[in-house]
Amino acid sequence: MTATPTLSDLFADGAETVEHRGRDVRPILRLAVSEGTKVRVVRMAARPDRRQALKLAAVNGLLEVNGATSEVISLWSDTSPAEVELTVLGAKARRLEVWNAWDLGGLETAWLGNAGMIIEQAERHLALHCSDGLGPPSFTDLQVRLSVAQPG
């Protein structure tokens, strides 16, 4: 009997999207951005027994939140506010990358096992339904709304 491949097994072949039970699943979300783009993240739900995080990275740029800047921001379910607004800084910034991570006994973990996200387009935001990598895929481990407003 062969083991069922995990989502990370399927993504390892370079697939940007795989199908799971009729839904498209991605390991990472990539969005076009520019200097001054505003990104609002609203955490809707997170599993209470294991810390979850939404990770955001500005490729060739920085993200600013509450006066602090970094290339990568981690919004942990137990320490960040439920709603956060970030600003993309840097004239060369062209892409925002978003993925989920989780705490595995003090070790930040991502992209392993059954990690992935279902992305739904709504009128004014994207709904991200994230599965951490532990156990079978469960797209309720972390659920957020992501809104992106381009400058101008």
Side-chain angles (χ1 to χ4, degrees), residues 33-53:
V33 294
S34 59
E35 169 85 25
T37 298
K38 301 285 186 189
V39 180
R40 180 176 300 276
V41 179
V42 179
R43 185 175 52 254
M44 305 306 294
R47 65 180 302 141
D49 60 334
R50 190 165 43 247
R51 293 176 68 215
Q52 304 288 315

Side-chain angles (χ1 to χ4, degrees), residues 70-116:
S70 181
E71 291 176 11
V72 180
I73 300 284
S74 301
L75 299 176
W76 286 97
S77 58
D78 63 335
T79 57
S80 70
E83 187 170 330
V84 175
E85 185 171 286
L86 305 101
T87 303
V88 176
L89 303 176
K92 294 183 180 181
R94 295 286 177 258
R95 189 171 72 233
L96 178 72
E97 296 183 338
V98 181
W99 67 97
N100 64 306
W102 62 99
D103 184 341
L104 191 59
L107 178 65
E108 181 181 312
T109 309
W111 295 310
L112 298 175
N114 280 311

